[in-house]
Amino acid sequence: MPIRQLRNYLDGRFEDGASTFDKHSPVDGQLIAQVHEASRDQVDRAVVAARRALPAWAALPVAARTDYLLALADGIERRFDDFLQAEIGDTGKPIGWAGKIDIPRGAANFRTFAELARTLDMESYMTDTPDGRQALNYAYRKPLGVVGVISPWNLPLLLLTWKVAPALAFGNTVIMKPSEVTPSTATLLAEVAHDAGLPPGVLNLTHGFGPNSAGEFMTTHPDIDGITFTGESSTGAAIMRAVAPGVKPVSFELGGKNAALVFADADFDAAVDGITRSVFANCGQVCLCTERVYVERPIYDRFVAALAERARAMRIGWPLDPDTEMGPLVSREHREKVLSYFALAREEGATVVTGGSVPVFGDARDQGAYVQPTIWTGLSENARCIKEEVFGPVCHIAPFDTEDEAIRLANDTHYGLAAAVWTQNLTRGHRVAQAMQVGLAWVNCWFLRDLRTPFGGSGLSGIGREGGRHSLHFYTEPTNVCIKL
Ligand SMILES: NC(=O)c1ccc[n+]([C@@H]2O[C@H](COP(=O)([O-])OP(=O)(O)OC[C@H]3O[C@@H](n4cnc5c(N)ncnc54)[C@H](O)[C@@H]3O)[C@@H](O)[C@H]2O)c1
Ligand SMILES: N/C(=C\C=C\C=O)C(=O)O
């Protein structure tokens, strides 16, 4: 397998970086790419190019601008296998997940925001005036400007395009900085944009890290108008500090410590299926994943046994095997973090119902970043493993006796991203979902997405919402015009 060179894309041209860093496979540790780290000067030139391209891009008729987004979606679909292999190569995620979620959502994000840019209504009011006549008020929206997009490694293409698509659709120009851990599909996206004839400077790509690298060069750059970021809560705080002097708008989708509530009247098999997916999907590396499960006492023992059976039966394997249900974590470094929580859980008194260590394959995968799907019980609600995001294939299961207790337990966190409620009593489903202090509450489902809905969290889980008109609100600045009639 040739070692890929992943380069930056500035002002319509691919460029080597000032230096390179290696990307290794999380499956077998092999070197798979050399990534060209952008210098501060390259980030600066990307910002200059984006600023220069902004007036013409913003002035394009919406139909012409959104035709470019449809061309990007077509390009992703045309090169579907290239994107699929690149995403799997970077992350080790199973082909079943990448092929159904990551890559299709890359194209869907562009199509969705092309449609929204063409159809979203303009806010306006007819105002009665004291002289008995009227005034017309309307909110005229202009692009925010040059937008920095900084994205994480867990759903690389999905989360990058979730921000790039609305930013471009609503007339902004973009510098994107993907995670250093998963640089490949962002590079392919730049190739697709280049081949689609996107005007130079409209979409730029700078590879690198956070501190003292492309990420920080962007957030501290005086001529970037706003930052949209997805990643760890601590990184969000660092970016807030970086943009504070310029009082720049930020949109943050951060960490979570999401709860699932299973009531005794739930469809038991559906709840087990749903929570198996919400705990172990993508090796637990989805911000929306469940790490805390609370089960009504009458079915607690039965549920723990059923989920443990599913975890033990989980097919952990090669990403390209269509039967594989769970691949490795994204890197050895991240596995060290997850294993540190496996050790901490024991110190904090957890019962390890299943898992808690590293599977042994006896082949090249032993050089990868695999861990066992893991279930804990018996921890105190004050344990660090209950309060802190692990971001791996692990959950803790605890019992509850009343609805009020379940709500209190679920809300006892500084995060506020997502929750799932499993009950066949839909009056209770509405009531409990509304009581969750989160941005997204699912009832008898999980990760079911309508891209027009508000997406994001509160507390340590983020600032703002994106999706549908909420993306319009972040990626544009309104001027309210009032005309006396
Ligand atoms: N809420 C959501 O929608 C959502 C989605 C996916 C992941 N996440 C969260 O992201 C985390 C995992 O992703 P990660 O490890 O890539 O997050 P991370 O915060 O380590 O890195 C995210 C991105 O930020 C960059 N970065 C890091 N420090 C920076 C700095 N000081 N200035 C500018 N850029 C900086 C990184 O290079 C990367 O591109 C988890 O906490 C997960 O919950 C949240
Ligand atoms: N932002 C979205 C998903 C986030 C997943 C977090 O890991 C989405 O589905 O649009």
Side-chain angles (χ1 to χ4, degrees), residues 36 42 143 146 181 187 199 221 232 250 286 302 305 353 369 380 382 390 408-409 411 414 429 437 439:
H36 287 254
Q42 286 177 301
V146 173
V181 181
T187 310
H221 197 291
E232 303 221 3
V250 292
V286 181
R302 182 175 162 225
V353 178
S380 149
N382 297 320
V390 178
R408 181 180 54 74
L409 287 167
N411 287 334
H414 294 300
Q437 290 161 5

Side-chain angles (χ1 to χ4, degrees), residues 294-317:
Y294 298 102
V295 179
E296 197 167 4
R297 199 174 297 277
I299 61 166
Y300 176 76
D301 290 339
R302 182 175 162 225
F303 186 89
V304 170
L307 196 69
E309 185 182 343
R310 296 293 292 271
R312 292 189 191 103
M314 190 78 60
R315 284 192 290 276
I316 312 171

